[in-house]
Amino acid sequence: MFRPFLDSLRDHAVPVSLREYLSFLEALKAGLAQFDAEGFYYLARTTLVKDERHIDRFDRAFAHSFKGLDAITADQVLEAVDIPPEWLEKMAEKHLTDEERAKIEALGGFEKLMETLRQRLEEQKGRHQGGNKWVGTAGTSPFGAYGYNPEGVRIGQKEGRHGRAVKVWDKREFRNLDDSVELGTRNIKVALKRLRHWARDGAHEELDLDGTIRATAEQGWLDVKTRPERRNAVKVLLFLDVGGSMDPYVKVVEELFSAAKAEFKHMEYYYFHNCLYEYVWRDNARRWSERTPTWEVLRTYGSDYKCIFVGDANMSPYEIAYVGGANEHWNEETGATWLARARSQWPDNLWINPTPGQYWDHSHSIRLIREVFEDRMVSMTLEGLTEGMRLLRR
């Protein structure tokens, strides 16, 4: 089936061995990329390209072989495959027509949504499945899990699916980012090296060759001189968004985290979820028991620190602009208020967003964060990080 693709790769001078082609087929057979054009592209590129110099050739060969792949409709896919029974049994994954969706209306804003939720919880006596009013599963009610509503509160669901919930009421567990991963690219380190301010401090442990030569010539005997080692004196405070919509970006954020720890000797970091609120934490396994008040962080680190937020900024706009809009807890002050305080305390600030820049204008929450940061948001690319380091050097 994919033999023409292999021929196209070779026609475009992409060196693909038979072993790599078989690995590609095995990955497809294992179901690593099903009904996902973008996932199929990355799977093919990962298994068939050995050198980044050949990526452009691969892209041309891929486009030549699979032109029109994105145009395949869901109906065509459903006609071509057998749907497993367990998929049909899980009503949460049902597809609604435009007419059905038109019948589902939002309740009228965040305050009305929360008020109605409180009333439903008081009235409801048991578990509910498949309806349009009660808190339950697999329905069109604004409250519950595994259903569809254009503006609802998600309760008791493992992960997001449609990205339409205005509030998520779950206590979830996240894992710490690994700061010891082997970097797959040097681009991040190269970009971070642009943010440097050399200084010599500490013990005199480095040989001062020029000083030794000068002193020996003046004294007439060997006079060894030492000096403090030259270090990057830049101080960095890193805030890392973790969990939820950040899960697809764990690898690239770990690479950034590793590069930053290697490059900046004076670096402190904290985790947050979606937006900055009254608490941050250092260990995701203990984020409910060992939290650090944000006021304490604001008072601990001086204005000479470079403050960098890393996050996709994809969330409900209520989480930024409303009291009580935060996930997992009731925030007494808006996320925008806390972000403004952070920017005031650390004037040299920046937001790094792993979401590709072409999608920023399609997200209301990203636009709100950009407004708070006065457009000091850059993408997590070589060009974006280079621009970000330039902004921090001002």
Side-chain angles (χ1 to χ4, degrees), residues 99-141:
E99 182 179 358
E100 288 173 326
R101 294 191 182 195
K103 295 178 181 179
I104 305 171
E105 299 179 354
L107 294 180
F110 183 75
E111 294 86 354
K112 180 63 177 177
L113 191 70
M114 298 306 296
E115 178 185 349
T116 305
L117 173 60
R118 284 192 291 268
Q119 294 175 355
R120 299 276 170 86
L121 289 174
E122 291 176 358
E123 297 172 5
Q124 184 170 337
K125 304 303 180 183
R127 184 182 181 277
H128 191 69
Q129 166 98 8
N132 61 7
K133 176 181 179 181
W134 299 115
V135 180
T137 59
T140 56
S141 166

Side-chain angles (χ1 to χ4, degrees), residues 1-5 21 25 66:
M1 177 179 178
F2 294 101
R3 177 61 186 274
F5 180 37
Y21 178 65
L25 296 180
F66 302 106

Side-chain angles (χ1 to χ4, degrees), residues 17-308:
S17 68
L18 181 59
R19 181 184 296 273
E20 291 161 346
Y21 178 65
L22 292 176
S23 297
F24 166 64
L25 296 180
E26 290 175 1
L28 289 176
K29 185 177 180 181
L32 297 184
Q34 292 184 326
F35 317 121
D36 181 359
E38 184 177 3
F40 174 72
Y41 164 79
Y42 283 113
L43 174 63
R45 196 178 78 176
T46 301
T47 54
L48 300 175
V49 179
K50 301 186 291 289
D51 193 315
E52 61 184 11
R53 294 176 299 173
H54 302 144
I55 290 180
D56 288 340
R57 302 178 193 173
F58 172 84
D59 288 345
R60 291 194 294 271
F62 188 90
H64 178 266
S65 301
F66 302 106
K67 184 177 181 181
L69 182 64
D70 288 335
I72 299 176
T73 65
D75 290 339
Q76 292 171 322
V77 173
L78 292 174
E79 292 175 0
V81 298
D82 292 327
I83 302 178
E86 58 269 21
W87 289 16
L88 297 175
E89 293 173 0
K90 190 174 181 181
M91 293 180 59
E93 300 299 333
K94 68 182 179 182
H95 295 273
L96 303 179
T97 66
D98 292 338
E99 182 179 358
E100 288 173 326
R101 294 191 182 195
K103 295 178 181 179
I104 305 171
E105 299 179 354
L107 294 180
F110 183 75
E111 294 86 354
K112 180 63 177 177
L113 191 70
M114 298 306 296
E115 178 185 349
T116 305
L117 173 60
R118 284 192 291 268
Q119 294 175 355
R120 299 276 170 86
L121 289 174
E122 291 176 358
E123 297 172 5
Q124 184 170 337
K125 304 303 180 183
R127 184 182 181 277
H128 191 69
Q129 166 98 8
N132 61 7
K133 176 181 179 181
W134 299 115
V135 180
T137 59
T140 56
S141 166
F143 315 110
Y146 300 111
Y148 176 84
N149 191 283
E151 191 178 45
V153 178
R154 196 176 86 217
I155 304 174
Q157 182 174 311
K158 180 179 179 182
E159 59 186 10
R161 302 175 307 124
H162 302 292
R164 304 303 297 271
V166 301
K167 188 174 181 66
V168 178
W169 228 311
D170 287 313
K171 182 176 180 179
R172 292 169 288 171
E173 300 297 332
F174 309 137
R175 74 175 181 86
N176 293 335
L177 295 176
D178 186 356
D179 62 354
S180 61
V181 297
E182 185 67 26
L183 297 182
T185 175
R186 290 179 54 85
N187 287 348
I188 295 177
K189 282 190 174 183
V190 169
L192 295 182
K193 287 182 184 295
R194 300 176 183 272
L195 185 61
R196 280 179 169 177
H197 175 67
W198 295 115
R200 297 187 183 276
D201 54 12
H204 289 235
E205 297 176 345
E206 182 183 73
L207 174 65
D208 184 356
L209 183 59
D210 292 339
T212 298
I213 294 174
R214 186 181 305 108
T216 299
E218 292 174 352
Q219 301 296 336
W221 62 80
L222 180 60
D223 190 0
V224 177
K225 298 294 184 181
T226 59
R227 61 185 179 184
E229 183 180 358
R230 190 175 72 158
R231 301 178 183 273
N232 187 0
V234 170
K235 299 178 180 179
V236 174
L237 184 59
L238 197 61
F239 290 95
L240 300 162
D241 185 6
V242 64
S245 60
M246 282 296 293
D247 288 346
Y249 307 113
V250 166
K251 183 177 184 298
V252 67
V253 175
E254 285 183 337
E255 292 178 354
L256 174 66
F257 192 26
S258 298
K261 290 199 73 173
E263 184 62 31
F264 304 118
K265 304 303 179 184
H266 305 285
M267 191 190 84
E268 300 291 339
Y269 68 92
Y270 292 93
Y271 293 112
F272 68 100
H273 181 51
N274 283 355
C275 196
L276 185 67
Y277 298 111
E278 57 268 30
Y279 293 100
V280 291
W281 56 93
R282 295 292 293 267
D283 187 344
N284 281 309
R286 296 182 173 88
R287 70 188 184 104
W288 297 106
S289 58
E290 297 182 7
R291 299 183 296 182
T292 302
T294 306
W295 274 120
E296 180 179 323
V297 179
L298 290 167
R299 296 181 180 121
T300 300
Y301 302 102
S303 59
D304 55 336
Y305 274 80
K306 312 286 187 181
C307 179
I308 302 176

